[in-house]
Amino acid sequence: MKNRLRVLRAEHGWSQQALADKLGVSRQSVNAIETGKYDPSLPLAFRISECFGLPIEDIFLREEPSS
Amino acid sequence: MTCHPRSTPAFRRYMRRFLIATGLYIGTFMIGVRLVPDDAPPSPLYIGLALLPGLAILGWIWAMGRLLIEMEDEYLRMLEVRKFMIATAFALTISGVWGLLELYVTVPRLPVFMIFPLWCVGLAVGQIWNRVSGA
């Protein structure tokens, strides 16, 4: 699943570690989510959403199935 | 969570449990070596002494299970689970294939108690896989 985490984090001027601290996860987790290697669970997605003050669908983008 | 995954409280608890189980394994193994003679009859005492190190193996497995339960970071937990799955595939593949070899051709017999150490080697393979896959 694509996401705008890296862009949003940059807009806030946060490092991966800073965002990880806010979310209560490891920096590796933030990196894995940003690079699309890992899709977060719903509870973590909600925490990310609250962190940026945005709805989940503005952060995580549904990939359209290719026809 | 600013620290390295291996310095989390869950991992420290795991290491403490692992070391206790390891001490139990070495201690009970040495007791068995000293007290059980070669070609011992299958008496309750000797069977009990032979099974004592098994408690330590249970301890290792329990510690690994608790690690998965107690890890707070879901991504790092997923990496650990993947490692365990790779270890399981590794141990089952080698023991299964070797068992077929034993069935059809003359090869050295693989002792059953080697399956757990094989699984532990598989953990190292899983760790390497996690590294090379950029996880």
Side-chain angles (χ1 to χ4, degrees):
Chain A
M1 182 177 284
K2 290 181 181 173
N3 65 76
R4 298 177 55 231
L5 204 58
R6 188 184 296 272
V7 173
L8 292 169
R9 183 173 59 76
E11 284 175 3
H12 285 73
W14 295 338
S15 65
Q16 285 188 341
Q17 186 63 67
L19 178 58
D21 290 344
K22 290 174 192 297
L23 295 171
V25 298
S26 64
R27 188 197 58 77
Q28 291 94 322
S29 297
V30 171
N31 184 60
I33 296 168
E34 281 188 0
T35 53
K37 287 178 188 157
Y38 178 70
D39 290 331
S41 67
L42 203 49
L44 179 53
F46 271 111
R47 289 215 300 279
I48 294 170
S49 160
E50 286 165 10
C51 197
F52 289 109
L54 291 170
I56 286 179
E57 58 267 32
D58 283 357
I59 302 172
F60 296 96
L61 312 172
R62 186 163 169 257
E63 289 176 90
E64 297 298 329
S66 55
S67 54
Chain B
M1 191 179 292
T2 58
C3 44
H4 189 271
R6 290 188 178 273
S7 62
T8 59
F11 195 80
R12 282 200 299 271
R13 282 194 294 273
Y14 165 71
M15 280 310 296
R16 193 166 58 239
R17 291 163 181 161
F18 182 86
L19 289 175
I20 290 170
T22 302
L24 182 68
Y25 183 83
I26 293 170
T28 53
F29 187 81
M30 293 309 291
I31 289 171
V33 167
R34 281 189 171 275
L35 298 184
V36 180
D38 291 343
D39 301 323
S43 68
L45 173 66
Y46 292 150
I47 290 174
L49 286 171
L51 290 178
L52 274 180
L55 290 175
I57 294 176
L58 277 178
W60 281 327
I61 294 170
W62 173 78
M64 287 185 265
R66 290 304 306 174
L67 175 67
L68 291 185
I69 292 168
E70 293 173 5
M71 284 183 87
E72 293 176 357
D73 189 302
E74 61 183 52
Y75 172 66
L76 298 180
R77 184 168 55 235
M78 184 274 290
L79 291 182
E80 283 299 309
V81 170
R82 187 160 80 180
K83 208 166 79 178
F84 289 7
M85 295 299 289
I86 289 171
T88 303
F90 182 84
L92 290 180
T93 300
I94 289 187
S95 58
V97 169
W98 195 264
L100 287 171
L101 276 174
E102 287 181 16
L103 195 62
Y104 290 116
V105 293
T106 306
V107 289
R109 193 165 175 79
L110 178 70
V112 174
F113 73 82
M114 285 302 294
I115 292 176
F116 187 71
L118 266 178
W119 190 81
C120 293
V121 173
L123 286 180
V125 175
Q127 182 70 30
I128 292 168
W129 178 255
N130 278 346
R131 288 277 170 90
V132 298
S133 64

